[in-house]
Amino acid sequence: MLLKRLTESAGLPGFESGVRGVIMAEIKAHVDSMRVDRMGNLIAVKNERASGPHIALSAHMDEVGLAVKGIDSDGYLRVASWGVDPRILPAKTVLVGKNKIPGVIGFKPWRLTSEAERDKAAKTEDLSIDIGAFTKEEAAELVSPGDYAAFDSEFMEFGAHKIKAKALDDRVGCAVIIGILQSNMPYKISAVFNTQEEVGLRGSSASANQIFADLVINLEGTICADTSGVPEHLRVTTQGMGPAISLSDRTSVYFKKYREAILKTARDNGIPCQFRQTGMGGTDSANFHAAHGGAPVIGLAVPCRYIHSPVSVMDKRDFENTGALTAKFIEYFNQTGGLGRES
Amino acid sequence: MNLELLQKICGLAAPSSGEGAVRDCVIDLLKDVADEIKVDPLGSVIARKKGAGPKVMFACHMDQPSFMINFIDKDGFLRFSHMGKLAFEQIRGQRVVFQNDPPGESLRSVMTGVIACEKIRDKQQASMIHLYMDAGFRSREEAEKHIAIGGLCVFAGETVIDGRKIISPGLGRAGAFVLAETAKAMQSSPNDMYFVFNAQREVDFAGAKASVWTVSPDYAVCFDLAPSHDIPSPEIQQLPVRAGNGAAIKIKDSSVICHPGLIHFIEDTAKENGVRVQFEISESFQSGAGPVHTANGGVPAGGVSIPARGIDSAHPIALLSDIEESLRLALHLAQKPFENLV
């Protein structure tokens, strides 16, 4: 399964080549051109010569994880976090560096913790990865500072519709785009697979300036707090209710005209959808929105519970509906000549 | 100074992405004086007055701190996200007014609401997530007849002008007033002048980022407010901006260090024409000059700011004398050749 292959590849910010390789192999036969820019972004074009409106699809390849800062005298790895909630780190398994050296994130024994420590999460700088080395020298033969540590988490299906995996944010967006590229759509479509989103939208700050499209659809895995005890207005999204349409976030506001067009497409085709009910977060949309003269952007996302953890959970139906809605919208956008050009 | 126009421009409602009313007003003001006017994909207005010299962009913004409805509960209360640098204490208890929908359509009814806070036991813990809007609805169904998810609103509040000052939720548009008046009043310019009224300042300067690429100016001067530091505070105010001391020539804020060539040019222009000026150094304050000066391989940028108190509140206040000095400075700048500044 494509999502399994995508989520089980490692792609920490700046080290996305593994994921990029999987994507390139998948889309090679279905696009007219494919290139990798100097930030590592993968840009592919399908039906390059087709006339009519031009939609670009964007997703990011990288995932959250840890970076090795140094090795201490006992051979433990000290780490920095690339966007991970420190509460989830202790007792997780990780794979370090290109050679995927297995390790575990250790923690202080209970009997040695103080009252205060028991009440709050350990800070990332107080945690370390145990790769089973006895000395600093032994560890240094296997890893070096700057290596990344990715979550080690198998893709798993459970319940009637659920998938558990790491990096659903944003391999699920990558998978939706791959599905569109593999279809026999006749329209001109650019696909942009960005690097380094999780460290501040860095890949797209370079790729956005290389794309001249009439509309950009940014595909994401997004926050879903539809879990036990969370009041309805703080859930952001709910699983099973379909793709989440973005309203606004810290760096973009999504135009009503395009929000309504995608909502109409969903209704006309009987595809469930919902709004992303928060103004928090930031996505690559920001860079496409403001690049060279400005472009309208639609944000569509698959709700992911426990996002940015090794056990993020999504609903397969939301994934399928996100793909279906994206495809139907591309069709609608082309058939209406781009909905007219003004915003 | 045309106080009626100042009142009109500041008094319109222009949430980020819903700037239609201001856009229409600006286009109406400039349509007979500009050689070209265009509206870009984000809704910013770019008005050009042709000249033989370098391309000079004067930029300001049209939007204001605003809110977007993102959830309606079963009892008809609204939850929202905010656009702009707004703190909990500034939002709580304020009245809001919803934008007519669709923008530009004549008033059907003005809908207002109040931002209130959930009752929570430990008051110290109250934060943004506890705030909601009460617009007097009794159920989700009733609310949905009047407001949709994605609906926009801004702080309610009269725009008040007396002999000294202006208080307005849309005070940030004082820069737009300065630009519109400058474009109208200026004679022929030695520069190729672009007056840019940006959309979406409050969304990380999206409008400014996009329009600077379209204009590709040789020089830019950005017009905005600057926080005035002459407020009662237990801490010693070490930053220089004072309301009443005139137009503030921007040296730096947290998003830009202005080009020395432009700083000196603006300062010289003020001296030559007896315009009262001070210098702006702001901390934890960003302006459109930030994204502009790093665009397209770099744009030498300067700024002229109007000192305002309560800049991130519902009711910011500025002194008319400072707006007047900024307008005089803008007018002199627009008519002076931007030559060999870098």
Side-chain angles (χ1 to χ4, degrees), chain A residues 35-45 54 56 188 190-194 202-213 287-288 291-292, chain B residues 213:
Chain A
R35 65 195 164 85
V36 177
D37 76 5
R38 283 180 288 179
M39 278 294 284
N41 301 304
L42 170 62
I43 300 171
V45 188
H54 172 203
K188 178 172 178 180
S190 288
V192 191
F193 298 94
N194 294 303
R202 292 181 195 164
S204 63
S205 71
S207 68
N209 286 305
Q210 302 168 54
I211 302 297
F212 290 81
N287 287 321
F288 288 100
H292 48 64
Chain B
W213 190 90

PDB file of all heavy atoms in Angstrom, chain A residues 35-45 54 56 188 190-194 202-213 287-288 291-292, chain B residues 213:
ATOM      1  N   ARG A  35      11.535  17.592 -11.615  1.00  0.00           N
ATOM      2  CA  ARG A  35      12.860  18.077 -11.249  1.00  0.00           C
ATOM      3  C   ARG A  35      12.935  18.316  -9.751  1.00  0.00           C
ATOM      4  O   ARG A  35      11.906  18.475  -9.085  1.00  0.00           O
ATOM      5  CB  ARG A  35      13.216  19.351 -12.013  1.00  0.00           C
ATOM      6  CG  ARG A  35      12.342  20.532 -11.684  1.00  0.00           C
ATOM      7  CD  ARG A  35      12.500  21.636 -12.731  1.00  0.00           C
ATOM      8  NE  ARG A  35      11.401  22.585 -12.624  1.00  0.00           N
ATOM      9  CZ  ARG A  35      11.385  23.612 -11.773  1.00  0.00           C
ATOM     10  NH1 ARG A  35      12.405  23.835 -10.959  1.00  0.00           N
ATOM     11  NH2 ARG A  35      10.348  24.423 -11.727  1.00  0.00           N
ATOM     12  N   VAL A  36      14.161  18.334  -9.254  1.00  0.00           N
ATOM     13  CA  VAL A  36      14.384  18.591  -7.837  1.00  0.00           C
ATOM     14  C   VAL A  36      15.169  19.888  -7.748  1.00  0.00           C
ATOM     15  O   VAL A  36      16.206  20.033  -8.388  1.00  0.00           O
ATOM     16  CB  VAL A  36      15.188  17.438  -7.196  1.00  0.00           C
ATOM     17  CG1 VAL A  36      15.480  17.733  -5.730  1.00  0.00           C
ATOM     18  CG2 VAL A  36      14.423  16.130  -7.333  1.00  0.00           C
ATOM     19  N   ASP A  37      14.657  20.867  -6.983  1.00  0.00           N
ATOM     20  CA  ASP A  37      15.367  22.145  -6.912  1.00  0.00           C
ATOM     21  C   ASP A  37      16.426  22.101  -5.815  1.00  0.00           C
ATOM     22  O   ASP A  37      16.628  21.073  -5.173  1.00  0.00           O
ATOM     23  CB  ASP A  37      14.371  23.311  -6.761  1.00  0.00           C
ATOM     24  CG  ASP A  37      13.797  23.427  -5.354  1.00  0.00           C
ATOM     25  OD1 ASP A  37      14.224  22.675  -4.441  1.00  0.00           O
ATOM     26  OD2 ASP A  37      12.901  24.269  -5.149  1.00  0.00           O
ATOM     27  N   ARG A  38      17.101  23.224  -5.602  1.00  0.00           N
ATOM     28  CA  ARG A  38      18.238  23.189  -4.676  1.00  0.00           C
ATOM     29  C   ARG A  38      17.844  23.112  -3.206  1.00  0.00           C
ATOM     30  O   ARG A  38      18.683  22.887  -2.356  1.00  0.00           O
ATOM     31  CB  ARG A  38      19.144  24.398  -4.939  1.00  0.00           C
ATOM     32  CG  ARG A  38      19.984  24.171  -6.187  1.00  0.00           C
ATOM     33  CD  ARG A  38      20.866  25.350  -6.464  1.00  0.00           C
ATOM     34  NE  ARG A  38      20.077  26.482  -6.946  1.00  0.00           N
ATOM     35  CZ  ARG A  38      20.592  27.660  -7.258  1.00  0.00           C
ATOM     36  NH1 ARG A  38      21.879  27.866  -7.113  1.00  0.00           N
ATOM     37  NH2 ARG A  38      19.834  28.633  -7.690  1.00  0.00           N
ATOM     38  N   MET A  39      16.565  23.306  -2.926  1.00  0.00           N
ATOM     39  CA  MET A  39      16.094  23.085  -1.554  1.00  0.00           C
ATOM     40  C   MET A  39      15.611  21.648  -1.380  1.00  0.00           C
ATOM     41  O   MET A  39      15.151  21.267  -0.306  1.00  0.00           O
ATOM     42  CB  MET A  39      14.925  24.036  -1.238  1.00  0.00           C
ATOM     43  CG  MET A  39      15.343  25.433  -0.839  1.00  0.00           C
ATOM     44  SD  MET A  39      16.220  25.478   0.728  1.00  0.00           S
ATOM     45  CE  MET A  39      14.849  25.258   1.876  1.00  0.00           C
ATOM     46  N   GLY A  40      15.663  20.879  -2.460  1.00  0.00           N
ATOM     47  CA  GLY A  40      15.201  19.497  -2.381  1.00  0.00           C
ATOM     48  C   GLY A  40      13.733  19.316  -2.703  1.00  0.00           C
ATOM     49  O   GLY A  40      13.211  18.198  -2.659  1.00  0.00           O
ATOM     50  N   ASN A  41      13.046  20.414  -3.051  1.00  0.00           N
ATOM     51  CA  ASN A  41      11.638  20.291  -3.428  1.00  0.00           C
ATOM     52  C   ASN A  41      11.519  19.525  -4.736  1.00  0.00           C
ATOM     53  O   ASN A  41      12.330  19.714  -5.643  1.00  0.00           O
ATOM     54  CB  ASN A  41      11.015  21.683  -3.637  1.00  0.00           C
ATOM     55  CG  ASN A  41      11.101  22.551  -2.410  1.00  0.00           C
ATOM     56  OD1 ASN A  41      10.641  22.171  -1.339  1.00  0.00           O
ATOM     57  ND2 ASN A  41      11.718  23.724  -2.543  1.00  0.00           N
ATOM     58  N   LEU A  42      10.505  18.689  -4.824  1.00  0.00           N
ATOM     59  CA  LEU A  42      10.242  17.941  -6.055  1.00  0.00           C
ATOM     60  C   LEU A  42       9.079  18.622  -6.775  1.00  0.00           C
ATOM     61  O   LEU A  42       8.012  18.819  -6.188  1.00  0.00           O
ATOM     62  CB  LEU A  42       9.888  16.494  -5.705  1.00  0.00           C
ATOM     63  CG  LEU A  42       9.348  15.611  -6.840  1.00  0.00           C
ATOM     64  CD1 LEU A  42      10.370  15.455  -7.956  1.00  0.00           C
ATOM     65  CD2 LEU A  42       8.969  14.236  -6.274  1.00  0.00           C
ATOM     66  N   ILE A  43       9.323  19.004  -8.032  1.00  0.00           N
ATOM     67  CA  ILE A  43       8.289  19.693  -8.806  1.00  0.00           C
ATOM     68  C   ILE A  43       8.035  18.889 -10.077  1.00  0.00           C
ATOM     69  O   ILE A  43       8.960  18.634 -10.847  1.00  0.00           O
ATOM     70  CB  ILE A  43       8.733  21.135  -9.155  1.00  0.00           C
ATOM     71  CG1 ILE A  43       8.980  21.920  -7.862  1.00  0.00           C
ATOM     72  CG2 ILE A  43       7.678  21.829 -10.018  1.00  0.00           C
ATOM     73  CD1 ILE A  43       9.616  23.274  -8.054  1.00  0.00           C
ATOM     74  N   ALA A  44       6.799  18.446 -10.257  1.00  0.00           N
ATOM     75  CA  ALA A  44       6.451  17.635 -11.424  1.00  0.00           C
ATOM     76  C   ALA A  44       5.281  18.284 -12.143  1.00  0.00           C
ATOM     77  O   ALA A  44       4.453  18.944 -11.517  1.00  0.00           O
ATOM     78  CB  ALA A  44       6.074  16.222 -10.983  1.00  0.00           C
ATOM     79  N   VAL A  45       5.220  18.107 -13.442  1.00  0.00           N
ATOM     80  CA  VAL A  45       4.108  18.665 -14.214  1.00  0.00           C
ATOM     81  C   VAL A  45       3.457  17.575 -15.048  1.00  0.00           C
ATOM     82  O   VAL A  45       4.139  16.817 -15.742  1.00  0.00           O
ATOM     83  CB  VAL A  45       4.560  19.824 -15.131  1.00  0.00           C
ATOM     84  CG1 VAL A  45       3.343  20.509 -15.753  1.00  0.00           C
ATOM     85  CG2 VAL A  45       5.393  20.839 -14.365  1.00  0.00           C
ATOM     86  N   HIS A  54      -4.574  26.352 -14.884  1.00  0.00           N
ATOM     87  CA  HIS A  54      -3.443  25.574 -14.373  1.00  0.00           C
ATOM     88  C   HIS A  54      -3.525  25.525 -12.850  1.00  0.00           C
ATOM     89  O   HIS A  54      -3.424  26.549 -12.189  1.00  0.00           O
ATOM     90  CB  HIS A  54      -2.153  26.255 -14.856  1.00  0.00           C
ATOM     91  CG  HIS A  54      -0.913  25.690 -14.267  1.00  0.00           C
ATOM     92  ND1 HIS A  54       0.253  26.424 -14.188  1.00  0.00           N
ATOM     93  CD2 HIS A  54      -0.623  24.476 -13.742  1.00  0.00           C
ATOM     94  CE1 HIS A  54       1.196  25.685 -13.618  1.00  0.00           C
ATOM     95  NE2 HIS A  54       0.690  24.503 -13.338  1.00  0.00           N
ATOM     96  N   ALA A  56      -2.006  24.045  -9.275  1.00  0.00           N
ATOM     97  CA  ALA A  56      -0.849  23.411  -8.644  1.00  0.00           C
ATOM     98  C   ALA A  56      -1.314  22.742  -7.351  1.00  0.00           C
ATOM     99  O   ALA A  56      -2.144  23.291  -6.616  1.00  0.00           O
ATOM    100  CB  ALA A  56       0.229  24.440  -8.340  1.00  0.00           C
ATOM    101  N   LYS A 188      -3.781  20.402 -17.163  1.00  0.00           N
ATOM    102  CA  LYS A 188      -2.414  20.717 -16.732  1.00  0.00           C
ATOM    103  C   LYS A 188      -2.376  20.846 -15.213  1.00  0.00           C
ATOM    104  O   LYS A 188      -3.116  21.648 -14.631  1.00  0.00           O
ATOM    105  CB  LYS A 188      -1.943  22.029 -17.377  1.00  0.00           C
ATOM    106  CG  LYS A 188      -0.544  22.432 -16.914  1.00  0.00           C
ATOM    107  CD  LYS A 188       0.016  23.611 -17.672  1.00  0.00           C
ATOM    108  CE  LYS A 188       1.390  23.982 -17.110  1.00  0.00           C
ATOM    109  NZ  LYS A 188       1.986  25.128 -17.802  1.00  0.00           N
ATOM    110  N   SER A 190       0.413  21.030 -11.891  1.00  0.00           N
ATOM    111  CA  SER A 190       1.759  20.989 -11.319  1.00  0.00           C
ATOM    112  C   SER A 190       1.657  20.367  -9.940  1.00  0.00           C
ATOM    113  O   SER A 190       0.698  20.622  -9.212  1.00  0.00           O
ATOM    114  CB  SER A 190       2.341  22.395 -11.178  1.00  0.00           C
ATOM    115  OG  SER A 190       2.676  22.906 -12.440  1.00  0.00           O
ATOM    116  N   ALA A 191       2.638  19.554  -9.593  1.00  0.00           N
ATOM    117  CA  ALA A 191       2.668  18.959  -8.256  1.00  0.00           C
ATOM    118  C   ALA A 191       3.941  19.419  -7.574  1.00  0.00           C
ATOM    119  O   ALA A 191       5.022  19.324  -8.149  1.00  0.00           O
ATOM    120  CB  ALA A 191       2.627  17.445  -8.361  1.00  0.00           C
ATOM    121  N   VAL A 192       3.786  19.946  -6.365  1.00  0.00           N
ATOM    122  CA  VAL A 192       4.946  20.442  -5.639  1.00  0.00           C
ATOM    123  C   VAL A 192       5.045  19.688  -4.320  1.00  0.00           C
ATOM    124  O   VAL A 192       4.138  19.753  -3.491  1.00  0.00           O
ATOM    125  CB  VAL A 192       4.810  21.950  -5.345  1.00  0.00           C
ATOM    126  CG1 VAL A 192       6.125  22.510  -4.844  1.00  0.00           C
ATOM    127  CG2 VAL A 192       4.343  22.705  -6.571  1.00  0.00           C
ATOM    128  N   PHE A 193       6.130  18.949  -4.162  1.00  0.00           N
ATOM    129  CA  PHE A 193       6.363  18.219  -2.909  1.00  0.00           C
ATOM    130  C   PHE A 193       7.468  18.966  -2.175  1.00  0.00           C
ATOM    131  O   PHE A 193       8.623  18.948  -2.582  1.00  0.00           O
ATOM    132  CB  PHE A 193       6.768  16.780  -3.218  1.00  0.00           C
ATOM    133  CG  PHE A 193       5.704  15.996  -3.956  1.00  0.00           C
ATOM    134  CD1 PHE A 193       5.720  15.916  -5.346  1.00  0.00           C
ATOM    135  CD2 PHE A 193       4.689  15.346  -3.269  1.00  0.00           C
ATOM    136  CE1 PHE A 193       4.739  15.205  -6.035  1.00  0.00           C
ATOM    137  CE2 PHE A 193       3.700  14.631  -3.946  1.00  0.00           C
ATOM    138  CZ  PHE A 193       3.731  14.555  -5.342  1.00  0.00           C
ATOM    139  N   ASN A 194       7.091  19.638  -1.094  1.00  0.00           N
ATOM    140  CA  ASN A 194       8.006  20.563  -0.433  1.00  0.00           C
ATOM    141  C   ASN A 194       8.846  19.901   0.656  1.00  0.00           C
ATOM    142  O   ASN A 194       8.408  18.948   1.300  1.00  0.00           O
ATOM    143  CB  ASN A 194       7.213  21.712   0.191  1.00  0.00           C
ATOM    144  CG  ASN A 194       6.540  22.567  -0.864  1.00  0.00           C
ATOM    145  OD1 ASN A 194       7.200  23.097  -1.743  1.00  0.00           O
ATOM    146  ND2 ASN A 194       5.216  22.651  -0.794  1.00  0.00           N
ATOM    147  N   ARG A 202      10.050  26.295   4.971  1.00  0.00           N
ATOM    148  CA  ARG A 202      11.241  26.763   4.260  1.00  0.00           C
ATOM    149  C   ARG A 202      11.314  26.281   2.819  1.00  0.00           C
ATOM    150  O   ARG A 202      11.691  27.034   1.928  1.00  0.00           O
ATOM    151  CB  ARG A 202      12.499  26.336   5.012  1.00  0.00           C
ATOM    152  CG  ARG A 202      12.608  27.063   6.329  1.00  0.00           C
ATOM    153  CD  ARG A 202      13.853  26.677   7.083  1.00  0.00           C
ATOM    154  NE  ARG A 202      13.761  27.116   8.459  1.00  0.00           N
ATOM    155  CZ  ARG A 202      14.536  26.676   9.430  1.00  0.00           C
ATOM    156  NH1 ARG A 202      15.466  25.778   9.173  1.00  0.00           N
ATOM    157  NH2 ARG A 202      14.386  27.122  10.653  1.00  0.00           N
ATOM    158  N   GLY A 203      10.978  25.013   2.578  1.00  0.00           N
ATOM    159  CA  GLY A 203      11.041  24.517   1.203  1.00  0.00           C
ATOM    160  C   GLY A 203      10.128  25.315   0.291  1.00  0.00           C
ATOM    161  O   GLY A 203      10.532  25.763  -0.791  1.00  0.00           O
ATOM    162  N   SER A 204       8.910  25.550   0.746  1.00  0.00           N
ATOM    163  CA  SER A 204       7.939  26.231  -0.115  1.00  0.00           C
ATOM    164  C   SER A 204       8.302  27.689  -0.334  1.00  0.00           C
ATOM    165  O   SER A 204       7.851  28.302  -1.300  1.00  0.00           O
ATOM    166  CB  SER A 204       6.525  26.118   0.454  1.00  0.00           C
ATOM    167  OG  SER A 204       6.437  26.766   1.698  1.00  0.00           O
ATOM    168  N   SER A 205       9.123  28.271   0.546  1.00  0.00           N
ATOM    169  CA  SER A 205       9.502  29.665   0.304  1.00  0.00           C
ATOM    170  C   SER A 205      10.359  29.745  -0.951  1.00  0.00           C
ATOM    171  O   SER A 205      10.430  30.781  -1.596  1.00  0.00           O
ATOM    172  CB  SER A 205      10.188  30.290   1.518  1.00  0.00           C
ATOM    173  OG  SER A 205      11.473  29.751   1.677  1.00  0.00           O
ATOM    174  N   ALA A 206      10.998  28.632  -1.320  1.00  0.00           N
ATOM    175  CA  ALA A 206      11.733  28.595  -2.591  1.00  0.00           C
ATOM    176  C   ALA A 206      10.857  28.072  -3.727  1.00  0.00           C
ATOM    177  O   ALA A 206      10.871  28.605  -4.829  1.00  0.00           O
ATOM    178  CB  ALA A 206      12.975  27.719  -2.448  1.00  0.00           C
ATOM    179  N   SER A 207      10.057  27.039  -3.460  1.00  0.00           N
ATOM    180  CA  SER A 207       9.286  26.429  -4.557  1.00  0.00           C
ATOM    181  C   SER A 207       8.153  27.328  -5.037  1.00  0.00           C
ATOM    182  O   SER A 207       7.832  27.357  -6.221  1.00  0.00           O
ATOM    183  CB  SER A 207       8.725  25.071  -4.131  1.00  0.00           C
ATOM    184  OG  SER A 207       7.736  25.223  -3.134  1.00  0.00           O
ATOM    185  N   ALA A 208       7.548  28.084  -4.128  1.00  0.00           N
ATOM    186  CA  ALA A 208       6.389  28.909  -4.508  1.00  0.00           C
ATOM    187  C   ALA A 208       6.751  29.896  -5.609  1.00  0.00           C
ATOM    188  O   ALA A 208       5.924  30.232  -6.446  1.00  0.00           O
ATOM    189  CB  ALA A 208       5.834  29.647  -3.294  1.00  0.00           C
ATOM    190  N   ASN A 209       8.004  30.329  -5.601  1.00  0.00           N
ATOM    191  CA  ASN A 209       8.414  31.298  -6.616  1.00  0.00           C
ATOM    192  C   ASN A 209       8.722  30.665  -7.963  1.00  0.00           C
ATOM    193  O   ASN A 209       9.038  31.358  -8.924  1.00  0.00           O
ATOM    194  CB  ASN A 209       9.614  32.092  -6.114  1.00  0.00           C
ATOM    195  CG  ASN A 209       9.179  33.091  -5.059  1.00  0.00           C
ATOM    196  OD1 ASN A 209       8.296  33.895  -5.301  1.00  0.00           O
ATOM    197  ND2 ASN A 209       9.742  32.994  -3.867  1.00  0.00           N
ATOM    198  N   GLN A 210       8.623  29.337  -8.038  1.00  0.00           N
ATOM    199  CA  GLN A 210       8.871  28.674  -9.317  1.00  0.00           C
ATOM    200  C   GLN A 210       7.568  28.216  -9.964  1.00  0.00           C
ATOM    201  O   GLN A 210       7.572  27.633 -11.037  1.00  0.00           O
ATOM    202  CB  GLN A 210       9.768  27.458  -9.102  1.00  0.00           C
ATOM    203  CG  GLN A 210      11.097  27.811  -8.454  1.00  0.00           C
ATOM    204  CD  GLN A 210      11.834  26.566  -8.002  1.00  0.00           C
ATOM    205  OE1 GLN A 210      12.053  25.654  -8.778  1.00  0.00           O
ATOM    206  NE2 GLN A 210      12.197  26.522  -6.731  1.00  0.00           N
ATOM    207  N   ILE A 211       6.462  28.439  -9.288  1.00  0.00           N
ATOM    208  CA  ILE A 211       5.182  27.932  -9.775  1.00  0.00           C
ATOM    209  C   ILE A 211       4.295  29.094 -10.212  1.00  0.00           C
ATOM    210  O   ILE A 211       4.023  29.999  -9.430  1.00  0.00           O
ATOM    211  CB  ILE A 211       4.461  27.150  -8.646  1.00  0.00           C
ATOM    212  CG1 ILE A 211       5.328  25.992  -8.153  1.00  0.00           C
ATOM    213  CG2 ILE A 211       3.092  26.649  -9.091  1.00  0.00           C
ATOM    214  CD1 ILE A 211       5.617  24.943  -9.199  1.00  0.00           C
ATOM    215  N   PHE A 212       3.855  29.049 -11.430  1.00  0.00           N
ATOM    216  CA  PHE A 212       2.922  30.060 -11.913  1.00  0.00           C
ATOM    217  C   PHE A 212       1.593  29.369 -12.197  1.00  0.00           C
ATOM    218  O   PHE A 212       1.396  28.823 -13.269  1.00  0.00           O
ATOM    219  CB  PHE A 212       3.464  30.741 -13.169  1.00  0.00           C
ATOM    220  CG  PHE A 212       4.651  31.619 -12.880  1.00  0.00           C
ATOM    221  CD1 PHE A 212       5.927  31.068 -12.746  1.00  0.00           C
ATOM    222  CD2 PHE A 212       4.495  32.984 -12.714  1.00  0.00           C
ATOM    223  CE1 PHE A 212       7.019  31.885 -12.449  1.00  0.00           C
ATOM    224  CE2 PHE A 212       5.585  33.802 -12.425  1.00  0.00           C
ATOM    225  CZ  PHE A 212       6.854  33.245 -12.292  1.00  0.00           C
ATOM    226  N   ALA A 213       0.730  29.352 -11.217  1.00  0.00           N
ATOM    227  CA  ALA A 213      -0.538  28.642 -11.374  1.00  0.00           C
ATOM    228  C   ALA A 213      -1.693  29.607 -11.123  1.00  0.00           C
ATOM    229  O   ALA A 213      -1.515  30.656 -10.498  1.00  0.00           O
ATOM    230  CB  ALA A 213      -0.607  27.481 -10.399  1.00  0.00           C
ATOM    231  N   ASN A 287       3.186  30.700   1.652  1.00  0.00           N
ATOM    232  CA  ASN A 287       4.143  31.091   0.625  1.00  0.00           C
ATOM    233  C   ASN A 287       3.530  31.147  -0.761  1.00  0.00           C
ATOM    234  O   ASN A 287       3.870  32.011  -1.554  1.00  0.00           O
ATOM    235  CB  ASN A 287       5.353  30.156   0.656  1.00  0.00           C
ATOM    236  CG  ASN A 287       6.235  30.431   1.860  1.00  0.00           C
ATOM    237  OD1 ASN A 287       6.423  31.586   2.224  1.00  0.00           O
ATOM    238  ND2 ASN A 287       6.730  29.396   2.502  1.00  0.00           N
ATOM    239  N   PHE A 288       2.618  30.236  -1.050  1.00  0.00           N
ATOM    240  CA  PHE A 288       1.973  30.259  -2.370  1.00  0.00           C
ATOM    241  C   PHE A 288       1.025  31.456  -2.485  1.00  0.00           C
ATOM    242  O   PHE A 288       0.915  32.095  -3.526  1.00  0.00           O
ATOM    243  CB  PHE A 288       1.211  28.953  -2.615  1.00  0.00           C
ATOM    244  CG  PHE A 288       2.141  27.794  -2.847  1.00  0.00           C
ATOM    245  CD1 PHE A 288       2.421  26.904  -1.827  1.00  0.00           C
ATOM    246  CD2 PHE A 288       2.745  27.626  -4.078  1.00  0.00           C
ATOM    247  CE1 PHE A 288       3.295  25.852  -2.039  1.00  0.00           C
ATOM    248  CE2 PHE A 288       3.625  26.568  -4.297  1.00  0.00           C
ATOM    249  CZ  PHE A 288       3.897  25.675  -3.281  1.00  0.00           C
ATOM    250  N   ALA A 291       3.250  34.575  -3.106  1.00  0.00           N
ATOM    251  CA  ALA A 291       4.344  34.549  -4.079  1.00  0.00           C
ATOM    252  C   ALA A 291       3.995  35.349  -5.313  1.00  0.00           C
ATOM    253  O   ALA A 291       2.841  35.393  -5.738  1.00  0.00           O
ATOM    254  CB  ALA A 291       4.667  33.112  -4.479  1.00  0.00           C
ATOM    255  N   HIS A 292       5.011  35.925  -5.889  1.00  0.00           N
ATOM    256  CA  HIS A 292       4.933  36.742  -7.110  1.00  0.00           C
ATOM    257  C   HIS A 292       3.541  37.201  -7.526  1.00  0.00           C
ATOM    258  O   HIS A 292       2.907  36.661  -8.419  1.00  0.00           O
ATOM    259  CB  HIS A 292       5.642  36.081  -8.282  1.00  0.00           C
ATOM    260  CG  HIS A 292       5.317  34.635  -8.521  1.00  0.00           C
ATOM    261  ND1 HIS A 292       4.083  34.202  -8.865  1.00  0.00           N
ATOM    262  CD2 HIS A 292       6.091  33.536  -8.458  1.00  0.00           C
ATOM    263  CE1 HIS A 292       4.101  32.916  -9.026  1.00  0.00           C
ATOM    264  NE2 HIS A 292       5.306  32.485  -8.774  1.00  0.00           N
TER     265      HIS A 292
ATOM    266  N   TRP B 213       6.010  42.302  -5.579  1.00  0.00           N
ATOM    267  CA  TRP B 213       6.486  41.535  -6.734  1.00  0.00           C
ATOM    268  C   TRP B 213       5.875  42.103  -8.014  1.00  0.00           C
ATOM    269  O   TRP B 213       6.549  42.257  -9.028  1.00  0.00           O
ATOM    270  CB  TRP B 213       6.090  40.070  -6.556  1.00  0.00           C
ATOM    271  CG  TRP B 213       6.727  39.171  -7.545  1.00  0.00           C
ATOM    272  CD1 TRP B 213       7.911  38.522  -7.421  1.00  0.00           C
ATOM    273  CD2 TRP B 213       6.209  38.816  -8.842  1.00  0.00           C
ATOM    274  NE1 TRP B 213       8.163  37.797  -8.548  1.00  0.00           N
ATOM    275  CE2 TRP B 213       7.146  37.949  -9.433  1.00  0.00           C
ATOM    276  CE3 TRP B 213       5.047  39.153  -9.549  1.00  0.00           C
ATOM    277  CZ2 TRP B 213       6.957  37.403 -10.698  1.00  0.00           C
ATOM    278  CZ3 TRP B 213       4.855  38.616 -10.819  1.00  0.00           C
ATOM    279  CH2 TRP B 213       5.812  37.742 -11.374  1.00  0.00           C
TER     280      TRP B 213
END
